[in-house]
Amino acid sequence: QVQLVESGGGLVRAGGSLSLSCVATGYVFSQNSMGWYRQAPGRQRELVASISRDGKPNYVDSVKGRFTISRDYAKNTVSLQMINLIPEDTAVYYCNSVPVVRILLDEYWGQGTQVTVSS
């Protein structure tokens, strides 16, 4: 059974910080790069940060210098530290493998966690 459980979202003022955490099923976590994706209202889901199996991070330009992704093999956890948040970061944030988990032909996603940044 695949599980992706995100937590840590909330409401924060612009310039504030949040820390997101995701616990992933063992084989999904251990055998793949992992990523944090986000989906804002009316927009497509996008990959904003990823981390390889050996810990190399990658970020989309809009979050470079503000977001930090990390992974903990002992806890099957991938985290996203976010600082200097801006209203444009408002979205539902999801973790998943890179590429995303598929069950048969369908993408599998957890429930996500809402991040809202007020101006």
Side-chain angles (χ1 to χ4, degrees):
Q1 181 180 1
V2 176
Q3 284 193 322
L4 297 166
V5 182
E6 301 94 344
S7 62
L11 172 63
V12 64
R13 288 180 177 266
S17 303
L18 280 174
S19 179
L20 307 183
S21 184
C22 170
V23 180
T25 302
Y27 79 91
V28 171
F29 182 87
S30 64
Q31 297 178 19
N32 295 282
S33 294
M34 294 296 295
W36 280 95
Y37 302 72
R38 69 184 180 188
Q39 186 167 24
R43 301 188 67 176
Q44 286 191 331
R45 188 152 25 201
E46 63 170 339
L47 176 64
V48 297
S50 63
I51 186 165
S52 66
R53 292 173 63 185
D54 62 358
K56 182 178 179 180
N58 228 324
Y59 304 95
V60 67
D61 285 347
S62 61
V63 308
K64 280 181 180 177
R66 301 188 299 118
F67 290 12
T68 303
I69 190 171
S70 60
R71 65 190 300 166
D72 183 337
Y73 279 93
K75 299 179 181 179
N76 283 0
T77 298
V78 58
S79 300
L80 189 68
Q81 309 290 329
M82 306 184 293
I83 65 171
N84 296 331
L85 285 161
I86 59 177
E88 290 75 15
D89 294 320
T90 295
V92 180
Y93 284 70
Y94 303 86
C95 76
N96 211 317
S97 57
V98 182
V100 301
V101 172
R102 287 186 179 271
I103 299 177
L104 298 180
L105 297 178
D106 296 328
E107 292 184 352
Y108 176 86
W109 294 92
Q111 83 287 350
T113 186
Q114 175 71 48
V115 171
T116 303
V117 184
S118 63
S119 56

